[in-house]
Amino acid sequence: HRLLLACVVLAIKMMEDRHFDNLHFSKVGGLGLVELNLLEMDLLKRLNFDLRMGLEELQDAESFLLCEVTSCNVNLGARERAVLRSYGLVGEDEFQRKRPVSPSMERETASKVGADEAFSDSARVFVH
């Protein structure tokens, strides 16, 4: 949850002109202020202080999230199913898992295991 909190803090600071301070976020997240500040700075360094996302990265994230939603055993309402149907991810009678793949996702597929291990290693810093 610490990694998630640090990501949320950075995302909010990046997207919003007015936001709560880190003391508020540390109380909500159950962390000390100093720990949250250190996590935020560590995350910024790992991202090379570049919080921007390109169009291709956003499309990859959208594809991944839509695919994950369709693989869940969740009873969705008519509105949610209509949205998923508009993307061609949900059939009339049941979920039809179709994995939308962008060109960059195809390139990354071969090295996915290595990337997952790298992410796990960096995430361990926040967990331990």
Side-chain angles (χ1 to χ4, degrees):
H1 89 278
R2 293 161 38 192
L3 175 60
L4 177 62
L5 181 62
C7 290
V8 167
V9 167
L10 286 179
I12 289 172
K13 287 182 176 183
M14 176 73 178
M15 300 304 296
E16 301 293 333
D17 291 333
R18 297 181 63 188
H19 54 79
F20 292 105
D21 59 12
N22 279 15
L23 180 60
H24 174 79
F25 288 116
S26 70
K27 288 178 182 178
V28 169
L31 300 179
L33 177 60
V34 172
E35 183 179 14
L36 180 58
N37 289 341
L38 291 172
L39 286 168
E40 182 182 9
M41 185 55 72
D42 186 49
L43 186 56
L44 280 167
K45 287 178 183 176
R46 289 173 185 273
L47 296 171
N48 294 322
F49 293 86
D50 186 8
L51 303 179
R52 296 170 295 150
M53 288 185 74
L55 179 60
E56 192 172 303
E57 289 175 299
L58 288 172
Q59 290 170 335
D60 289 348
E62 177 189 41
S63 296
F64 173 77
L65 290 172
L66 287 171
C67 183
E68 291 301 311
V69 165
T70 61
S71 68
C72 294
N73 292 321
V74 176
N75 292 326
L76 298 176
R79 181 175 162 204
E80 291 85 1
R81 288 183 65 82
V83 170
L84 293 174
R85 195 176 296 115
S86 73
Y87 282 99
L89 297 170
V90 176
E92 292 298 322
D93 298 325
E94 59 185 293
F95 283 114
Q96 297 173 351
R97 186 168 183 168
K98 297 179 185 175
R99 186 168 187 88
V101 179
S102 68
S104 65
M105 286 178 82
E106 288 175 351
R107 287 192 301 271
E108 293 172 6
T109 301
S111 62
K112 183 168 178 11
V113 173
D116 286 346
E117 290 171 0
F119 176 75
S120 296
D121 290 342
S122 68
R124 245 181 250 121
V125 170
F126 292 101
V127 175
H128 289 43

